[in-house]
Amino acid sequence: MSEATLLDFAGVVRAFGRLRVLGGVGGRVAPGEVLAVGGPNGSGKSTLLKCLAGLLAPDRGRIDYREDGESLDTAARRHRVGFLSPDLALYQELSVAENIGFFCRLRGLPAARGEELRARVGLPAERLCGALSSGMRQRLRWAFALLHRPRLLLLDEPLEHFDAAGVALAAALLAEHLDAGGLAVVANPSHLELPRVAGRIDLAL
Amino acid sequence: MSRAASTWLSEAVAVFTKDWRCELRTRYALNTVLLFALTTLVVVSVALGPLGADQQARGAVLPMLLWLILLFAAAAGLPRVFGHEEEKHTATALRLAATPSALFAGKLAFSLVLFFAIEALTAPLFLAMMQLPVAHPGRFVAALAAGGYGLAAASTLVAAIVGQARGQSTLFAVLSFPVLLPLLLLAIAATRAAVLGGDAGAELTQLVLYDASMTIVGLMLFPVIWNP
Amino acid sequence: MRRILPWLLWLWLALVIWAAFFYAPLAEGFVGQSSRILFFHVPMAWVSFVAFLAAGAWSIRFLAGGRRERDDHAAEAAVQLGLLFCVLATVTGAIWAKVMWGAYWNWDPRQTSIVLAMLFYAAYLALRTAVEEPEARRRLAAAYAVLGLVVAPFLFFVLPRLTFSLHPDTVVNTRGRVEMESRMLQVLAASSLAFTVLFFWIHRIQVRLKARAERALPGRTTP
C-alpha cells in the first residue's frame, strides 16, 4: 500500500561536458515525506532536481516514479510533477491572471482553480509580470508549481526572495501538500522548517 | 479519443492566443519584421532602377527578388518564435505544462498568421513599386500562400532547433537556407509562371507536397527537439 | 582476416585505377579521354549519397533506439566523410565540365543540388559546434539530419526538372534502362564497390576514434 506512490532513484550521474556535476546520487521519498537536498553552490542541487523533473537526461542511473502503482515514463513525469526553480520564468508581457490562466488552459484545468491559487498566494490579478517584485515572482512560481495539484513537488530554492510572510506562506503550502499525501524534494531548505524529513542528501563540490 | 483531441486542440489554441497577446503588447515582430521587409523593398527598387518595358525580363527577375525579400524577412522574425522562450526562461514552464506536438502546432499557427500578414502587406506594395502586372492573380496568391506556408513551417522547425544553440541569428540562416532553397526555387518558378501567364500546376503541387511533409515531420520531430 | 582485408581493398582499388585507364573503352560523344573520369566521379557521388543516407538512418536509430552515443558517432562520421566525397565528386565533375562544356561551373541542376547537399551537411557540422551540451548536441543534430532526409527528395527529383540540364543521363537513365558498354559498366561497378567499402572502412575507424575521445573526457573517467 505504502509503495503505491513512490519516488526512488539511484546512481544518478550527470556531467556537463568535462564537468561532472552529479556522481551517482540516490534517494527515496514516500507519501507525506520530504527529501532534503543540501550542499554548497555548484554542488549539483539544481541539476539533480532537473533530472528528477525530466528536464535533464541523466547520463547514467535510474529514476523510478510511481503514482498509485503506475510507473511513469520521463514525459509523463515531466508533465505530472510540480517544479519550482529560480531558472523558471513566466511571461513578463502578461498579467498575473493571464499567466495563470494560460497554464490552466494548457493543463486543462478550470479557470476557477487558477483564481483560487492566485488569491491564496496573494498576488494582484491585473499586475503585469514584468512589474512584479522578486518576492512576488517567487509567489507566482509557487502558484505555477501547485496549479495542477501534483503529487510530487520538486522545490529548488523555494524561499528565494521571500520575506517573513512569504516564508510562512511557503511553510503552510508545503505542510498542506504533505498532509494531503504528497511527496517533496527540497533543495537548500536551510531556512524552511521542514516537517517529516525522511532523508537528507548532502552534495559536495 | 475525441476528448484527447479536443484538449490537444485547446492547448494549441492557448499557445496561439498567448503568443498573439504577447506580440500585440510588444509589437516586436510586427514592427521590426514589417519595417525590415519594407526597407529592403525600397532599397531593392531604388537600386534596381527602371528595368525597361520588357515584360519577359521583368517577369524573370522580379519574382526572385520578391522571394528573397520574404526569405530575409522570415529569417529576421521567425527565429524569435522559440528564441524568446529560451532567452526569457519561459521554455522550462512550457516543457513542464504543454504537450509538445500541441505546442508546435500553436507556434506554427502563430508563425503562419504572422508571415501571411507580412506577405499581404509586402507583395501588393512590391507589385505597385515595381509596376509589375500579374497575368494570373489567382495563381499569384496561390504561389504566395503555398510558398509562405512552407517558409513559415520550415523556419518554425529550424527555430526550435536553433533556440537551444549558441549564436542564434547567424546559425538560423546557416541551418534554414539549405532546407528552404528547394522551396524557394519552386515558389519563384510558380510566381514567375503566375506573372507571365504560364502554367504553375506542377510547381504548386510540389509546393503543397513540401508544405505537407514539413508539417508532418515537424509534428513528429518537435517532441524530440524540444525535450531531453 | 582483419589484417588482410585492407590490403585486399588497396589491391582492388589499384586494379580499378588500372582498368579505368587501360581496360575500359572510351565513351562515344565525349571529348578526348574525358569519359575516363566517370569511373571516379560517379562512385564519389554514389558514396556521398550512401553516406548521407546512412547518416540519416543512424540519426533515426539514435533518436528512436535508446539514444546510444555510438549511433550519434556513426552519424557524425558519416556526414564528415560524405562531405569529403561530395567535394571530390564536385571537383571531378567540374574538371570534366571544363573539358566538355568549356566552364568549370555553370549551375547545372546537378551542380546546384550537390552544392546544396554540401551546404546542408556543413550546416549540420556547424550546428554540432554551436551546442556545447553533449546530450542536446546529439539530439538536435540527429533531428536536423532527419530533416535533411525529408528535404533531399525535393533536391534530387524536383530541382533537376526546373531547369534544363546538360548533365549526361545517370547510369540508369530516365527510360529505366542501363545503356552502357559492358566493359565500362564492369569498371564502374567495380569502382563503386571499392569506394563504398573504402568509405565503410574509414568510417569504422572514425567511429572508434570518436568513442575513444569520448572516454578520454576527464568528466567520465572519475568513478
Side-chain angles (χ1 to χ4, degrees):
Chain A
M1 173 55 209
S2 65
E3 305 290 33
T5 301
L6 181 76
L7 173 69
D8 186 17
F9 57 101
V12 174
V13 173
R14 185 61 157 96
F16 289 94
R18 290 162 177 275
L19 185 69
R20 190 191 185 94
V21 179
L22 290 178
V25 185
R28 188 184 161 93
V29 203
E33 290 180 355
V34 173
L35 177 68
V37 182
N41 289 339
S43 59
K45 299 185 296 290
S46 300
T47 305
L48 175 62
L49 261 66
K50 279 181 193 162
C51 286
L52 294 179
L55 289 168
L56 271 180
D59 294 328
R60 254 177 286 156
R62 175 183 60 81
I63 299 172
D64 184 26
Y65 176 53
R66 265 176 287 163
E67 273 185 10
D68 302 321
E70 177 200 3
S71 194
L72 300 184
D73 65 3
T74 312
R77 195 171 78 229
R78 189 185 304 125
H79 197 66
R80 267 338 149 76
V81 300
F83 182 76
L84 181 149
S85 151
D87 291 342
L88 189 146
L90 302 183
Y91 297 95
Q92 305 216 341
E93 304 88 347
L94 301 182
S95 72
V96 169
E98 284 167 340
N99 261 303
I100 293 179
F102 170 58
F103 286 103
C104 273
R105 284 181 70 191
L106 280 185
R107 292 199 181 271
L109 300 166
R113 166 67 186 156
E115 189 52 30
E116 170 202 331
L117 203 55
R118 184 196 60 73
R120 179 72 208 276
V121 297
L123 286 175
E126 298 307 322
R127 180 94 60 101
L128 287 186
C129 265
L132 290 179
S133 77
S134 42
M136 288 166 118
R137 249 176 242 175
Q138 184 71 353
R139 283 170 186 248
L140 188 56
R141 289 197 191 104
W142 268 92
F144 169 77
L146 291 171
L147 197 58
H148 52 299
R149 301 181 201 277
R151 299 286 288 275
L152 173 61
L153 261 188
L154 302 168
L155 305 175
D156 188 5
E157 306 282 356
L159 301 182
E160 203 188 43
H161 305 303
F162 267 170
D163 55 6
V167 173
L169 173 72
L173 288 171
L174 182 60
E176 270 172 43
H177 172 74
L178 295 173
D179 286 339
L183 299 69
V185 180
V186 185
N188 222 11
S190 44
H191 302 291
L192 186 60
E193 292 220 3
L194 294 175
R196 279 166 288 177
V197 174
R200 189 175 175 85
I201 301 173
D202 273 300
L203 298 170
L205 269 177
Chain B
M1 186 57 217
S2 68
R3 210 182 104 81
S6 81
T7 52
W8 186 90
L9 199 66
S10 82
E11 267 189 67
V13 172
V15 171
F16 176 77
T17 44
K18 184 274 294 174
D19 270 358
W20 271 111
R21 191 174 274 165
C22 288
E23 173 55 39
L24 291 176
R25 282 190 192 161
T26 59
R27 300 263 169 80
Y28 173 85
L30 278 176
N31 279 347
T32 52
V33 178
L34 204 62
L35 215 56
F36 180 89
L38 293 182
T39 315
T40 12
L41 185 61
V42 170
V43 169
V44 162
S45 60
V46 169
L48 203 61
L51 258 181
D54 185 1
Q55 171 71 2
Q56 207 64 29
R58 296 156 63 83
V61 176
L62 293 178
M64 183 193 72
L65 284 177
L66 173 63
W67 278 103
L68 279 185
I69 292 169
L70 290 174
L71 172 71
F72 284 108
L78 294 182
R80 214 182 99 91
V81 173
F82 283 102
H84 80 281
E85 302 273 7
E86 302 279 357
E87 251 166 49
K88 304 262 162 120
H89 302 287
T90 47
T92 309
L94 282 182
R95 284 198 172 92
L96 291 161
T99 311
S101 55
L103 172 63
F104 180 74
K107 290 280 183 190
L108 176 60
F110 173 79
S111 305
L112 284 176
V113 173
L114 179 67
F115 198 68
F116 284 150
I118 290 167
E119 280 188 329
L121 287 165
T122 313
L125 214 61
F126 181 84
L127 295 181
M129 286 172 91
M130 299 295 181
Q131 295 163 11
L132 182 70
V134 176
H136 289 292
R139 283 179 205 165
F140 184 75
V141 171
L144 277 183
Y149 184 101
L151 197 54
S155 299
T156 308
L157 190 57
V158 173
I161 294 177
V162 170
Q164 298 176 56
R166 283 183 286 130
Q168 294 189 1
S169 49
T170 353
L171 192 64
F172 180 83
V174 169
L175 292 195
S176 65
F177 288 179
V179 175
L180 290 174
L181 219 118
L183 168 99
L184 222 55
L185 293 175
L186 284 171
I188 291 169
T191 312
R192 192 173 283 155
V195 167
L196 294 177
D199 178 34
E203 280 84 5
L204 283 176
T205 317
Q206 284 160 355
L207 276 177
V208 171
L209 203 65
Y210 183 97
D211 296 352
S213 43
M214 269 303 150
T215 311
I216 292 165
V217 86
L219 286 171
M220 281 169 59
L221 267 188
F222 181 73
V224 171
I225 294 169
W226 183 239
N227 284 317
Chain C
M1 192 62 196
R2 275 279 153 76
R3 294 203 167 272
I4 304 170
L5 225 58
W7 291 107
L8 278 176
L9 180 60
W10 297 130
L11 193 70
W12 187 253
L13 275 168
L15 218 71
V16 162
I17 293 169
W18 175 83
F21 284 99
F22 300 109
Y23 174 68
L26 288 171
E28 275 175 45
F30 284 70
V31 176
Q33 302 273 333
S34 74
S35 71
R36 298 201 188 277
I37 205 165
L38 168 111
F39 302 117
F40 304 99
H41 172 69
V42 174
M44 296 299 151
W46 159 253
V47 168
S48 59
F49 179 77
V50 167
F52 292 150
L53 212 63
W58 271 308
S59 297
I60 290 175
R61 200 162 88 163
F62 173 79
L63 292 176
R67 311 276 168 106
R68 285 176 313 181
E69 266 169 33
R70 222 192 122 71
D71 290 334
D72 178 64
H73 291 325
E76 189 192 12
V79 167
Q80 288 166 336
L81 283 174
L83 209 50
L84 177 71
F85 278 93
C86 233
V87 170
L88 291 174
T90 313
V91 170
T92 48
I95 293 171
W96 180 84
K98 176 69 181 168
V99 175
M100 283 297 293
W101 303 336
Y104 289 108
W105 206 258
N106 59 359
W107 290 113
D108 190 84
R110 298 260 165 217
Q111 291 177 321
T112 310
S113 49
I114 204 163
V115 163
L116 270 185
M118 277 197 281
L119 278 181
F120 185 89
Y121 287 101
Y124 170 94
L125 295 177
L127 172 63
R128 294 193 74 102
T129 59
V131 188
E132 241 161 308
E133 220 278 294
E135 186 273 331
R137 184 201 309 139
R138 298 198 172 103
R139 172 163 51 86
L140 297 176
Y144 191 63
V146 175
L147 188 59
L149 286 185
V150 178
V151 181
F154 289 93
L155 219 60
F156 286 111
F157 299 116
V158 175
L159 211 56
R161 285 184 201 166
L162 281 180
T163 26
F164 172 72
S165 176
L166 285 171
H167 195 283
D169 277 356
T170 39
V171 177
V172 178
N173 63 21
T174 41
R175 292 175 292 283
R177 285 203 312 275
V178 181
E179 289 175 357
M180 195 181 268
E181 205 272 332
S182 76
R183 273 181 297 168
M184 285 181 74
L185 203 61
Q186 288 162 19
V187 179
L188 193 58
S191 176
S192 299
L193 181 70
F195 281 108
T196 310
V197 174
L198 181 69
F199 163 75
F200 280 107
W201 183 59
I202 303 176
H203 182 262
R204 238 173 68 93
I205 296 174
Q206 284 276 19
V207 172
R208 284 220 301 268
L209 283 176
K210 281 182 201 303
R212 183 173 295 178
E214 192 82 34
R215 276 200 301 277
L217 280 180
R220 292 296 178 86
T221 45
T222 45

